[in-house]
Amino acid sequence: MPVINRIADLQPEMQGWRRDFHQHPELRFEEHRTAEQVAKLLASWGIEVHTGIATTGVVGVLRAGSGGRAIGLRADMDALPMEEATGLPYASRTPGKMHACGHDGHTSMLLGAAKYLAETKNFDGTVHFIFQPAEEGGAGAKVMMDQGLFARFPCDAVYGLHNDPTLPLGEADVRDDVMMAASDRFFLTIRGQGGHASRPHACLDPIVCGAQIVGALQTIVARRVDPLESAVISVTQFHSGTAENVIPDEAKLLGTVRTFTPATQDLVEAAMRRVIEATASAHDMVAEFTYRRGYPPTVNHANEARRAVRALETVLGDGRVHRDKPPVMGGEDFSFMLLDRPGAYVKLGQKDGTKGAAEVHTVQYDFNDDLLPVGASFFAQLVEQEMPRG
Ligand SMILES: [Zn+2]
Ligand SMILES: [Zn+2]
């Protein structure tokens, strides 16, 4: 692999950081030790450091030349509340916490790129190294943005990456559009009026109303969503009643929605609200509907995706980047940054035989340290390619 030579030399150092982070995993918004290490290392290379954004977020600013362009490179720092079972010598020293998604590796890669770029400064413009907290369910990216991330550190484009244990080391996966889904939840309570089951006319039956709502919701995907788009509406729970001869007062329904574009997500939520309210109203009932959005879909910008592919092909070689793998149903909070700034999210394969092959979010997972120079080279190559020195 033609990784940048100087970065290949940094592999042992990056591996040292990575295994140190791995031994000291910290959960969302508690990444104090990790953030301190990151800030200390960045400062030691002469990079301007800003801390305390979204509690533990860190931004490093590196300028070279006089160019006005700025690129944001993002890594996540948080671990998961899981009990590690790898038995590795550098396994987690904190019971119940584990780097099971490889964010220890992502942080170390970005540090490697920062060290190289600070040494070489072979670019013209500004790099913002964004180390975010709480990717796992805390929307740390969004919290940093809400605290003025892109106002304080303007970025013409942002790039992020994730390791992928299902893809061989030396390969990557970049689509020009959607990479990951939005995953939302909904909760619905239909309030009727209970009574004797032999006297339905004196009741308002929430079960009949709920059954019609379940059926009507399915028409949204079938009739309102573009057939070439993807969407799932699943009612997964329907609770009502206590006896065979009593019409209950209320019914509770819960479920999940998956979509791949913000437009479809908006369309589905609005249509569900209309269908539910109108159906309940037709039955003289009231429905309380709560739609809770998770992370938005992770959608690459085609232009930036192609730029990322160019950098990846320089590092990995031609033909090593998959362009049309199907998107996955998992979520990622880099999606918030991609809604605000042009950019791309790439997946880097890390499977090498059994090494790096355990799936993320499992107790056997470990980041493959052989991927460190690949990710760091990708980030560095991207900067030199996108902001070339005149
Ligand atoms: Zn994860
Ligand atoms: Zn992750």
Side-chain angles (χ1 to χ4, degrees), residues 80 101 103 135-136 361:
L80 284 156
C101 206
H103 299 182
E135 192 285 323
E136 301 287 358
H361 293 214

Side-chain angles (χ1 to χ4, degrees), residues 91-114:
S92 169
R93 290 184 186 173
T94 311
K97 297 180 189 176
M98 172 189 181
H99 267 294
C101 206
H103 299 182
D104 48 350
H106 303 163
T107 298
S108 305
M109 286 168 169
L110 188 53
L111 284 171

Side-chain angles (χ1 to χ4, degrees), residues 183-200:
S183 167
D184 303 336
R185 293 177 294 164
F186 62 88
F187 311 86
L188 168 64
T189 302
I190 302 160
R191 300 206 189 285
Q193 191 188 313
H196 201 291
S198 66
R199 292 172 49 75

